[in-house]
């Protein structure tokens, strides 16, 4: 998918923190210009995460009817599906399983 002339070729999950026992995970989209923080996941309670679209992404690409400042996901698979949908077609065939861990 081409978003404002930026063509994303991959995304990456980074576990940032486990402060006070709560996990924080950042999801970055990568392109030839670098990377963009797109989603942050925060553990709200044991085994319950909330994922939100970041202001950086919204500032760069704007709000749509489906992705805006109110967008929140409760399932990692939904975040992964959205991020994968932003990857350009030629790059989708390469496995992304090495870029993220299946368990949080």
């Amino acid at each position: 998918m081409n978003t404002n002339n930026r063509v994303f070729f991959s995304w990456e999950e980074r576990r940032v923190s486990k402060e006070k026992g709560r996990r924080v995970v950042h999801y970055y989209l990568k392109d030839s210009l670098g990377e963009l923080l797109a989603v942050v996941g925060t553990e709200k309670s044991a085994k319950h995460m909330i994922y939100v679209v970041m202001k950086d992404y919204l500032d760069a690409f704007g709000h749509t009817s489906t992705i805006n400042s109110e967008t929140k996901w409760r399932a990692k698979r939904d975040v992964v599906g959205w991020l994968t949908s932003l990857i350009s077609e030629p790059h989708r065939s390469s496995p992304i399983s090495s870029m993220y861990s299946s368990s949080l």
Side-chain angles (χ1 to χ4, degrees), residues 45-83:
S45 63
K47 296 188 180 185
H48 291 99
M49 300 283 290
I50 294 289
Y51 302 91
V52 296
V53 177
M54 295 309 299
K55 186 178 182 321
D56 292 350
Y57 179 86
L58 295 173
D59 287 348
F61 303 110
H63 299 249
T64 68
S65 61
T66 57
I67 301 297
N68 55 60
S69 60
E70 301 297 316
T71 301
K72 294 180 182 171
W73 295 281
R74 294 188 183 274
K76 181 179 176 177
R77 71 179 169 274
D78 296 332
V79 175
V80 169
W82 179 68
L83 293 168

Side-chain angles (χ1 to χ4, degrees), residues 84-104:
T84 302
S85 76
L86 297 176
I87 305 302
S88 70
E89 281 297 324
H91 298 285
R92 278 196 203 164
S93 60
S94 54
I96 62 169
S97 60
S98 63
M99 293 182 204
Y100 70 97
S101 169
S102 61
S103 63
L104 264 180

Side-chain angles (χ1 to χ4, degrees), residues 3-86:
T3 309
N4 284 0
N5 296 324
R6 288 183 78 171
V7 178
F8 298 111
F9 56 80
S10 69
W11 60 269
E12 181 180 3
E13 174 187 84
R14 295 184 197 157
R15 293 181 185 156
V16 179
S17 171
K18 197 171 181 176
E19 62 185 59
K20 297 182 184 177
R22 298 193 186 256
R23 295 170 288 169
V24 176
V25 182
H26 289 183
Y27 293 87
Y28 293 88
L29 287 165
K30 295 183 174 194
D31 67 7
S32 61
L33 299 175
E35 58 189 27
L36 174 70
L37 179 61
V39 177
V40 171
T42 306
E43 185 177 44
K44 294 299 179 186
S45 63
K47 296 188 180 185
H48 291 99
M49 300 283 290
I50 294 289
Y51 302 91
V52 296
V53 177
M54 295 309 299
K55 186 178 182 321
D56 292 350
Y57 179 86
L58 295 173
D59 287 348
F61 303 110
H63 299 249
T64 68
S65 61
T66 57
I67 301 297
N68 55 60
S69 60
E70 301 297 316
T71 301
K72 294 180 182 171
W73 295 281
R74 294 188 183 274
K76 181 179 176 177
R77 71 179 169 274
D78 296 332
V79 175
V80 169
W82 179 68
L83 293 168
T84 302
S85 76
L86 297 176

